[in-house]
Amino acid sequence: MMWFIVTNLALWVMLVGQGSCQPNFPRTTCGGDLEGDTGEFASPGFPQNYRPNLNCVWNIKVPEGRVIFLSFRFFALEMNARCMYDYVSVFNGRAQDAQRLGKFCGTFRPGALVSTSNEIVVKMVTDDSTDNRGFLASFSSGEPHKQIATESFCGGRLEKEFGSFKSLNWPESNYPPGVTCSWHIIGAKDKVIELRFDKFDLEEDLYCRYDYMSIFDGKSDSAQRISKLCGSEVPRTIRSTGNQLFVQFVSDLTVTADGFLAKYSIQDQGSSGSGSTIKSVTYKTTMAPAVTTTSPMIDPCTKACKRTGTMQTNFCTKEFVIVGKVLVIQQRDGAKLLRIAVIRSFKTGRLETSQRRRGDVAKIMLPCPRCPKLKKGKVYIFMGAVDPSGVGVILPDSFVVNFKSKLLNILNNIAQRKSC
C-alpha cells in the first residue's frame, strides 16, 4: 500500500482538493458517451488493475466549432513494441474511416493530442492475459486557432492568414516518442496554402517508417499525399492546389530528434509563390543522399505479401534480376538485410556486389520484414529495385520465387529475345 501511495503521489495531488483527504477518481465504466466542455474518464476499475478481454469505446463530443484537447494524466498498460495485446487507440472523429491519432501501450505516458473537429473516439482493448493499472485521461474544448498556454499539446485547426506550428519541446529538447499530431490548415475557398520549414530534423530511415511527417493536399489524411518526410534535410516549400492542407507528424517509441518549425501563409490562388504543387516525396537514408521521385510513397508493409506481374514484365521493369543463395539474414532497424551469393546475373543495374573467394555477394534489403518469407541456404530468383547506395530492395509484392531449373530456361529466353 505504501508503494502505491508513493509512486502515485503526483497523481493524487492533482486530484485531491485542498482540505480533502481522499482522492476523487472519476467514475469508471467500459466506454460511453461524454459530452461537454471538459471531462475525465479512466480505464474500468482504475486505480485498480483493468480486467482482461476488454473492448471499451468512449465517444467524446464538445460544442460545435470547437476542438478537443486530450491528455493522459496516468498511463500503464502491457508493453509490446507494436501494441498488439493491450492498447489504447485515439481516433479523430466518429466516422468508420476516421484518422487514428495514435495507438499507445506500455508505461510511457502519451503526448497530449488535439483533434481537428469537435469529436474524437478513444478505444481500449485488452487481451486475456497480462493486466496493469490502466489510464486516467481528461479532455477540454478550445477554439481551433488558440494555443494552449503550456504548449504541452500539438496539432489542431489553423485558420489565420499566416502562422506557425512546431514539434513538442521545440526548441529546448527533442520531441517525445509515441506522439501523433495533426494540423488542419484552412483558407477561404479562393485561396491556396504555402508551407515552408525553418528547421527540420526527424529520425532518418530509407522509407520514413518510424518518425515522419506526411502532408496531404486536402482536409484529411484521405486526400492526395504530397510528401512523406524524415531525416535532417530541410524540405522545399510546399504549395497546395486548393484551400486546405493536412499535416500529420508521427513519432514511434524509440529514437527521437530535434524536431521541426513550420510556417504557413494563406495566399491568393493566382499569386506566384515560391513553392511547388508537384506531387513528390523525399526518401531519406543514412547510407546515401536523399532521392526524390515523382511517385507518392506507399508504406511497403501495406502491400499484400503476393508477387505481382509476370516473369517477363518484371524482368523488363526491375533494375536487377539475379539467381542467388541466401547466406545471411540480419535484423536491421526494423527491416531485414540479406547477403546473397550471386549464382547467375541477368541484370544488375546499379546493384553493387563484393568479390568473395567463391563469387560475388550482393546486399538486399527487405523494408517489410514479414515478407517475402526467405530462408537461409535456399536459392531464389530475385527481381527488384536498387537504392542510392547500391543495395537491392525487395518489397512484399516483388517478384521473388524459389529457383527451379525450368525457370532458368525461361529467363534465358527472355534475355536472348531482348523483348523489353
Side-chain angles (χ1 to χ4, degrees), residues 125-145:
V125 174
T126 66
D127 66 2
D128 59 0
S129 57
T130 307
D131 60 8
N132 210 317
R133 294 282 305 288
F135 71 87
L136 172 65
S138 63
F139 70 90
S140 62
S141 69
E143 297 180 38
H145 61 276

Side-chain angles (χ1 to χ4, degrees), residues 52-67:
N53 299 314
L54 293 175
N55 192 334
C56 308
V57 177
W58 291 268
N59 299 306
I60 302 173
K61 185 176 182 180
V62 299
E64 289 284 346
R66 299 177 74 81
V67 296

